[in-house]
Amino acid sequence: IRIEKGSSGWHSTNFELALDEPEEGDVTEDVGEFHFCMEKALMDQVGAVFIDYDPTGSFRIYTERPLSIFTTGGGSCSL
């Protein structure tokens, strides 16, 4: 299971889980039956990762250092 930045754009401050296999350069961690992976560079930025499971079936992912401190404000683009 990959832990990655949210898919809402480069400025996303959220994380999401995706079914994926580890790639070269990933950090991996086994927790019970679950095998997690994450890009090492991203983990170096955010530190420890925590995943809370809600009984309603949702997950909350948070990190030692919030991703928001690494994003700069603003910016827009148009086509």
Side-chain angles (χ1 to χ4, degrees):
I1 301 170
R2 178 167 299 280
I3 303 166
E4 59 188 6
K5 286 174 61 173
S7 58
S8 62
W10 64 269
H11 61 281
S12 176
T13 59
N14 296 318
F15 289 90
E16 60 188 20
L17 301 176
L19 293 177
D20 197 8
E21 295 290 327
E23 298 177 0
E24 186 174 329
D26 281 348
V27 175
T28 61
E29 181 76 28
D30 293 338
V31 179
E33 299 176 17
F34 300 101
H35 310 287
F36 293 95
C37 61
M38 184 177 195
E39 291 180 12
K40 183 177 180 337
L42 181 57
M43 185 165 223
D44 288 345
Q45 274 188 321
V46 300
V49 177
F50 307 93
I51 302 173
D52 282 340
Y53 173 74
D54 184 296
T56 64
S58 62
F59 294 88
R60 180 174 179 263
I61 304 167
Y62 58 100
T63 57
E64 180 179 10
R65 293 182 294 277
L67 192 56
S68 60
I69 66 173
F70 300 104
T71 60
T72 56
S76 64
C77 62
S78 60
L79 299 173

